[in-house]
Amino acid sequence: MDDSAKALPHEDALPEALIDLLSRVSRPGRYVGGEFNARQKVDGHPRVVLSYPDVYEIGISNPALQILHTRLNDDSSALCERAFCPWPDMAAAMRAAGKRLWSLESYADVGDCDLWGFTLPHELTYTNILEMLDLAAVPLHAADRGDGDPIVLGGGPGTANPLPLASFFDAFFVGEVEDRLSEIVAAFAATTRAQRLTDLAAVPGVWLPGSRAPAERQVFMGFSRSLPVTEPLVPVLEAVHDRAVIEVMRGCTAGCRFCQAGMWYRPVRERPVDLVVEAADRTLAATGCDEVSLISLSSCDYSGIEAAVTAIRALRPGLRVSLPSLRIASAAVQLARLGGEQRGSVTLAPEAGTQELRDAINKGVDDESFEEAVRATFTSGFTGLKLYFMIGLPGEDESAVRAIAEMAVRAAAIAKRIARGRARLSLAVSSYVPKANTPFQWERFAGTSVLRERQALLRAAVPRGVRVSFHDIGASVVEAALARGDADASALIESAWRHGARFDGWSEKFKLDAWRAAASELGQDLDEIASRAPAGDMPWEAAITARIDRDFLIAERGKAATREQTVDCRTGACALCGACLDDVQMDVVG
Amino acid sequence: MSHWLVRFDRHGSACYVSHLDTARALQRTFARAGIALALSEGMRPKPRLSLGLPLPVGAAASDELAVVEVVGECADISAALRALRAAAARGIEPHSIAVVEAHPHPVALAATYECTLAADAAAVSAALTRFANASQAVVERVSPKGSRRLDLKEFIEEAWCRPDGDATRLGFTVRHRQDGAARPQEFVDLVAGYAGVEAVMRALYRASVTYKGLPAQGRAGQSIGAT
Ligand code: SF4
């Protein structure tokens, strides 16, 4: 039987120390890479590690990471790898074994890379950043790092207010980085940390904490002419999304006043339909997916949407095309049906219960179009409808909360009439958190007790048979405490992390006690921090220029108070938001 | 439709992929290779691809089995194999295809494993002798559903060992019965306990699985190995 012993192929790349750890944790496949379309690049300079501060299954699907990983590896001299936040069982095993965070491609220590780039998706991932720095044995504070440490750079939506993280990052890139990658890579030709930082600071969009010159948000004007990533990394593990993803449009000018992304990614830029269809065809071949998702902040508003859906469906028999968010209009629902999606459910986001409040947030939805969209959902063959609402919006009162339940009653009646027993209706209700660079940035967060009362009110008013889920109020409090925080918020984040806060976006992992303890250790009250409304100059204005005129934000806030609508500048007049200037202009199909 | 038996390797990072994810990865490999799998009937059709005996997470193997139903007849099986290999994920690599006449329903009879134990070969050898001479070797399997007692003597067909540097390479064959089978870790725990060493199983490798219900490869159709 000895003769049957074959070579042991499975030790080809994984270091022994890693194999030991993998045998002790849940879902070990999270930590070893090996995706379809993984790049085989073994050499390059600088060595870049990109991270999304959440667990692998969430991070791997992040479109920004896919773009940067592809572009850096395929179009630059850099060697780009990835690392995600280890789940607590792995983090504990790593600490016990003294093993440092490794990259998924070479299994080499992340702490030895030249540039460690984090995408900053939302505030509830911030403690994970500290967890990752610590597991990589990289000093938490930029001020404590030396020549042997990587330069830690943050990018993504969180840079709308980078101040709470400023202490932990050496630099931030503000806006869309595609056009600036070569300049960032070039900064690493320098051999010293100090010189690299100096060269980085000269790249448009880069802000170094402590610098008095704010960085201007960068807009990628090559978007419409560039092919999206067509050979994305596809995990072998089941990920959150298993679809070929094509970004059809960037930016949204619908003008919802609560929406940070809608303000941040202006102006709108669209990819031509033929480019979208070509990308879909190539991506399907490279991924083996049987579904295409046309993503953007509001894909129904993409000018070429119907033509793109029709042409993509014709590429392969049985192919489905999904749209992640539907406008509240029967035409949008018909469009989802055109995509072959009628098997499942539709998500619509009225956001608020009364016409008044929807006008205040500039949502532009009336009761009639809502009911039409609900009718279209069930007559199109969908059997499920999920409605998104927010509570705690500025100007909201109890009657507005009761109105959410009344909308659910009307939707349930329509569902029953058309789909009878097969219809499923659910409400997902989140708590509104005011964000930087929006017209509501001066507004007060509703706070724990108001949100608790309104959740109870809504829970009691929602008709039987309608499922309702609420976002955790404690998590919203933390989000509010950080979203408009200044540099002092970094102490709160660090203290919460030291008290055990991790994976704050995961309800089963979120520890409000850790955050409360952190705040009281700093002599503060978490709810009080969350409820502060900044006045005058916003703290982040010292770090970034968002390309959104302050006058525009003030005007929009005023219009919210008088329930006045602002039309989408794609179909109506320019609202002078400040995004379009010089070579940055709206760029739509046709 | 045609029925294929696909044999594939699992190694490196792919050892840490679950049974379900491996099946999904192979489905994707077929899609990437442009080979259409037949779909099941019903509201939510699924590709007709099933794997043989599940491989423990962390184990390598070089002769795993997938039974697939492919749309149409394939004129060039070696071209199909090349396409599959080019489309495969790292570490889950098809190396042969046998075309068979009907859809087989293989049932595992036995599986042979090897692993390395951080122990002296003489101690492991003595442990195996003790196992061979014992009338019973009962272990308890505890799961959320309750506990179950298994006599490993009923499941381990043969076992051997040989020195492997400072450590020992342990090999054994597990018999699969209708009521289940012993897990490799259970036997390794027992042997390590007898040998007085820590039961840390390294480099677990499944050398082979014997099935009933499989046609002899190459008889019913073509069998092409990777070169
Ligand atoms: S500047 Fe005018 S056209 Fe450009 S995004 Fe703003 S509102 Fe729209």
Side-chain angles (χ1 to χ4, degrees), chain A residues 1 6 20 37 242 286-287, chain B residues 28 32 90 160 202-203 205:
Chain A
M1 213 162 160
K6 298 181 185 174
D20 264 2
N37 299 322
D242 183 12
T287 59
Chain B
R28 191 180 295 283
R32 277 164 47 95
R90 186 179 78 194
W160 52 268
R202 289 177 211 280
Y205 169 64

Side-chain angles (χ1 to χ4, degrees), chain A residues 253 266-268 552 568-570 573-581 585-586:
Chain A
T253 41
R266 287 167 176 236
V268 163
F552 165 76
D568 189 332
C569 58
R570 281 199 296 189
C574 168
L576 301 174
C577 75
C580 299
L581 196 66
Q585 295 294 332
M586 191 193 304

Side-chain angles (χ1 to χ4, degrees), chain B residues 6-29:
Chain B
V6 178
R7 298 282 182 170
F8 61 99
D9 278 352
R10 272 199 34 198
H11 59 83
S13 55
C15 297
Y16 298 94
V17 176
S18 71
H19 189 67
L20 214 63
D21 286 335
T22 304
R24 225 186 323 260
L26 279 175
Q27 285 169 17
R28 191 180 295 283
T29 302

